[in-house]
Amino acid sequence: MLQICSGKMFQREIEYRNNLRGVLYTNLRLSRDKRLETDAGSLLSTSNLGQSKTIVYELEELIEDNGHSVGVLISHGVDPYILDISAIISFALNCTASPSYALTDRLLGEQRGISTHSTPKQIVKRVFDKDVFCTEKDEEHLLAFIKQLIGLKRNTYLGVMSSIRTYVTGMQRIADDFELAYTLLVASIESLAQNFDGHKASWLDYDQRKRMLVDSALSDADETTSEKVRAALLDIEHTSLSRRFRDFSLENISPSYYREETDDVLNPISRDDLAKALSNAYQARSQYVHNLRKLPDQLIITDSYTETCRINKRTWLTIQGLSRLARHVITEFIMQQPTVVSEIYDYSLERSGIVQMPISPEYWVGRADLYKGAGSMKLEGFLSQISYRMAIDPEGVVTDLTELLTVVEGKINELEKGDKLSFIALYIIFNSLVSESQRMENSDRFISAHEKLLSAPSAEALIVNLIFNVVPAWDMTAHYECLIMYFREKDNKLKFRCPKLFEAGIILQLAERYRSSGDYSFAIDLVEMAVENYPEHTSLRQFEIDFKLDNHPIEWTKILQPKKEEQVNQ
């Protein structure tokens, strides 16, 4: 949000200027009566007789004119900006700053963690001290850091801010979970490596054990086929994550890391040991993520601030050492990136409080557009409308599809099979549900010409047969296999997903076939499947209980649809 507020991505005039003010709780001590002007707002101490534990943050918020767009945005309020600036200050000046008094008080207090049995200030120097005095050098660094940060290209800025937030969150977790803190500190570097190292995977990057198995399997294949298989595997698998983390870190180490920055550092890492220590850190991260494995005891040192330790003849970075390394690597990366004064970039969806939500089907399901995948999408949307009307509100909106289906009539033979089946199912459902006077003029001829395509097992056939209570002509094995295929593929691209009402319905329809054939045991299995796929439906759960006690016909509409008096009460 801070970069948006700078106006560097605005394409129109500034419509609103808002003077915002908030408070940060911190251990950072600014020079009294001095306003620190940054490219992301101003910082100044509060006035009192003792050492202030708060900083006032002031910002002029710029809001771009929205042109002719719908809606008016006047201000975001100070909250999103103060969250960003608190993370930046914490990171850049190696201190604690937060808009939350409770969090700051806990991090700086004497309370020991339940699992760590330590206070944060025992693990890492300076960050959690009672007082961190902001020197002139610190002020210069903060001003330069924020100027560089705001000047970054937008995509770089977003990645960097995510890394900074992860780092700060990791430092805060030192209060209660060393393993999580260590993992987040590694992740703060890893996220940048994944997004900005420009890595191009080669076959040698692939896991050695997997590589040997694949090479063995491809031994009889020609070279062209072998290369295609290897390329496909490299496209779908993350390769050499540990190596990329290590290489990215090493590339962003400046000479000062081994020189000026080692003043007052206990046991700083040597250049020769750093590569192996980075591999060890990544290994610890992976073992925690996958196995919740604790850090080696030697890394949890509470009586000193050593940055390294030796475990089984291997050099490891402690939390103290890893935190300094992460700050250095991230800072160095930021300071090396190009900056721009202005940039054309659509930031509208990245503003605070903006959430993308799916549009209700009533706004798009009837549009006469036949793009690839439109059939399954529109069928899914229309089924959701029918389901809502059947299960919740008999007066619910059901869109008139006449305009869309008129276009479908003329282009049905030009569509691919998936869309063709979906549109035929949609055509049949719509024209059969509306009144006779509302049916399309050519509906009888169209349905007669194309309904045979729904005679074979398919998800579209399942739903059409269900809605009209028609038992499919397929044998029960084919019916079951079709049902399972629907659930396996319903979330695939170009497929459709039925509302839960209809999913339970197609299961119960098949359950009744098995019950009627005398296979009561499998019918129970299918009823249980219906319940577990629609767990919130109380009547269905009650039917399961009753059915196990008394073998009686399964009528999906009577089970799943609410009684008329229930709908009235709703």
Side-chain angles (χ1 to χ4, degrees):
M1 284 297 298
L2 289 175
Q3 192 182 52
I4 292 174
C5 185
S6 72
K8 65 181 290 181
M9 294 173 287
F10 290 2
Q11 302 301 309
R12 293 181 290 272
E13 296 296 319
I14 296 172
E15 186 171 12
Y16 297 103
R17 293 177 180 269
N18 305 304
N19 294 318
L20 306 179
R21 182 179 294 120
V23 173
L24 285 171
Y25 298 95
T26 179
N27 58 353
L28 184 66
R29 303 294 175 249
L30 297 178
S31 299
R32 187 176 295 179
D33 300 327
K34 180 178 181 181
R35 178 185 291 268
L36 195 58
E37 300 279 0
T38 80
D39 281 22
S42 303
L43 302 170
L44 65 157
S45 294
T46 53
S47 299
N48 59 21
L49 295 177
Q51 286 291 342
S52 171
K53 293 188 177 181
T54 58
I55 289 177
V56 175
Y57 173 59
E58 295 181 344
L59 171 75
E60 183 184 42
E61 180 188 40
L62 307 180
I63 301 293
E64 183 182 16
D65 178 30
N66 70 346
H68 300 291
S69 300
V70 176
V72 176
L73 175 64
I74 297 176
S75 176
H76 293 282
V78 76
D79 288 352
Y81 303 108
I82 205 166
L83 284 171
D84 280 356
I85 199 68
S86 65
I88 292 170
I89 292 172
S90 298
F91 176 84
L93 298 184
N94 205 22
C95 64
T96 295
S98 171
S100 169
Y101 172 80
L103 175 62
T104 304
D105 185 59
R106 175 168 167 262
L107 292 174
L108 303 182
E110 299 297 330
Q111 181 180 349
R112 296 188 176 191
I114 295 175
S115 65
T116 62
H117 308 296
S118 303
T119 60
K121 67 181 179 182
Q122 291 177 292
I123 306 303
V124 181
K125 277 202 308 186
R126 177 179 164 110
V127 183
F128 305 107
D129 289 352
K130 181 180 179 181
D131 297 301
V132 175
F133 292 96
C134 187
T135 65
E136 187 174 336
K137 184 178 179 181
D138 289 331
E139 291 179 359
E140 292 173 356
H141 171 68
L142 182 63
L143 296 179
F145 182 83
I146 292 179
K147 181 180 179 65
Q148 176 74 7
L149 188 64
I150 297 300
L152 296 175
K153 293 181 179 178
R154 182 60 178 174
N155 286 329
T156 306
Y157 174 86
L158 292 173
V160 163
M161 282 302 299
S162 178
S163 179
I164 288 174
R165 292 190 195 99
T166 301
Y167 172 88
V168 173
T169 303
M171 296 300 288
Q172 292 171 353
R173 295 287 73 77
I174 291 174
D176 44 35
D177 191 322
F178 289 146
E179 285 72 28
L180 180 56
Y182 203 88
T183 296
L184 289 172
L185 292 178
V186 171
S188 68
I189 302 175
E190 184 184 15
S191 65
L192 289 180
Q194 293 293 314
N195 291 317
F196 299 106
D197 68 352
H199 178 74
K200 297 288 186 181
S202 70
W203 188 237
L204 291 178
D205 293 326
Y206 203 64
D207 180 86
Q208 183 178 7
R209 184 182 61 83
K210 295 179 181 179
R211 190 172 72 240
M212 292 175 65
L213 291 172
V214 173
D215 285 341
S216 176
L218 293 173
S219 59
D220 295 329
D222 60 80
E223 189 60 27
T224 301
T225 301
S226 298
E227 287 302 316
K228 287 182 178 179
V229 171
R230 294 184 182 110
L233 289 172
L234 289 174
D235 281 342
I236 62 176
E237 284 221 22
H238 295 295
T239 56
S240 299
L241 297 183
S242 175
R243 176 177 156 189
R244 291 173 64 182
F245 164 77
R246 183 191 66 216
D247 291 350
F248 179 84
S249 299
L250 293 174
E251 289 169 5
N252 286 281
I253 296 289
S254 71
S256 65
Y257 180 71
Y258 302 105
R259 293 172 176 80
E260 298 91 336
E261 294 180 23
T262 61
D263 291 345
D264 301 322
V265 170
L266 180 62
N267 296 323
I269 190 81
S270 69
R271 185 182 188 89
D272 184 60
D273 285 334
L274 183 55
K276 293 179 181 178
L278 286 166
S279 296
N280 293 337
Y282 195 85
Q283 179 186 16
R285 163 258 184 223
S286 299
Q287 289 175 341
Y288 176 75
V289 169
H290 300 298
N291 306 109
L292 292 180
R293 188 173 299 178
K294 293 181 68 63
L295 291 171
D297 290 338
Q298 295 93 321
L299 291 186
I300 314 303
I301 299 174
T302 59
D303 58 354
S304 71
Y305 297 113
T306 180
E307 289 205 347
T308 59
C309 66
R310 296 281 292 172
I311 304 174
N312 297 328
K313 301 189 71 173
R314 298 165 68 190
T315 300
W316 285 73
L317 287 163
T318 63
I319 293 179
Q320 170 71 59
L322 182 59
S323 66
R324 183 171 79 90
L325 174 81
R327 280 188 67 245
H328 179 93
V329 169
I330 296 169
T331 302
E332 192 68 19
F333 173 80
I334 292 170
M335 302 309 287
Q336 290 177 2
Q337 300 309 300
T339 59
V340 292
V341 175
S342 62
E343 181 179 4
I344 297 176
Y345 184 94
D346 182 7
Y347 61 85
S348 58
L349 297 179
E350 295 170 2
R351 293 173 295 178
S352 176
I354 303 297
V355 179
Q356 279 189 295
M357 301 292 287
I359 300 175
S360 176
E362 63 188 276
Y363 297 105
W364 53 265
V365 73
R367 290 180 183 172
D369 40 14
L370 303 184
Y371 53 86
K372 186 175 182 180
S376 58
M377 185 175 179
K378 291 178 184 294
L379 176 59
E380 181 175 319
F382 192 66
L383 289 176
S384 71
Q385 292 184 327
I386 299 173
S387 171
Y388 184 83
R389 176 174 280 196
M390 291 175 66
I392 299 175
D393 182 6
E395 302 300 320
V397 174
V398 174
T399 303
D400 183 355
L401 303 183
T402 303
E403 181 183 354
L404 167 66
L405 296 179
T406 299
V407 175
V408 169
E409 285 179 338
K411 297 189 175 182
I412 189 66
N413 292 320
E414 300 174 17
L415 302 176
E416 295 184 9
K417 182 179 178 181
D419 278 329
K420 190 172 185 179
L421 282 177
S422 294
F423 273 123
I424 291 172
L426 186 61
Y427 193 102
I428 293 172
I429 293 170
F430 173 77
N431 282 282
S432 299
L433 291 182
V434 299
S435 65
E436 188 171 347
S437 62
Q438 293 177 305
R439 289 177 187 169
M440 298 174 65
E441 183 178 349
N442 298 322
S443 60
D444 289 341
R445 185 168 62 235
F446 183 90
I447 293 172
S448 177
H450 298 286
E451 63 182 347
K452 290 182 180 178
L453 290 175
L454 295 179
S455 61
S458 68
E460 290 81 1
L462 279 177
I463 194 64
V464 170
N465 286 324
L466 176 76
I467 289 176
F468 300 111
N469 284 314
V470 175
V471 178
W474 330 312
D475 63 59
M476 288 189 293
T477 300
H479 192 166
Y480 175 75
E481 290 174 351
C482 183
L483 177 74
I484 296 304
M485 185 61 70
Y486 160 75
F487 279 100
R488 186 178 300 147
E489 296 181 343
K490 66 179 180 177
D491 291 325
N492 290 357
K493 190 177 181 181
L494 306 182
K495 297 293 182 179
F496 70 94
R497 181 188 182 101
C498 291
K500 287 184 177 181
L501 175 75
F502 293 141
E503 287 189 342
I506 59 178
I507 298 170
L508 293 177
Q509 186 181 56
L510 179 58
E512 171 59 16
R513 290 192 70 181
Y514 277 96
R515 186 204 68 83
S516 299
S517 71
D519 193 341
Y520 180 59
S521 175
F522 198 68
I524 289 178
D525 291 343
L526 288 168
V527 170
E528 291 175 348
M529 178 182 176
V531 170
E532 291 167 5
N533 279 281
Y534 201 175
E536 66 267 37
H537 200 295
T538 55
S539 297
L540 179 57
R541 297 203 308 267
Q542 183 59 49
F543 174 80
E544 177 190 26
I545 296 170
D546 297 339
F547 185 70
K548 290 179 179 179
L549 298 174
D550 181 19
N551 179 359
H552 53 271
I554 304 171
E555 300 178 66
W556 76 273
T557 52
K558 290 184 178 180
I559 298 167
L560 299 178
Q561 283 189 263
K563 297 179 175 61
K564 290 185 178 180
E565 56 269 23
E566 292 177 350
Q567 290 184 326
V568 171
N569 292 332
Q570 289 175 353

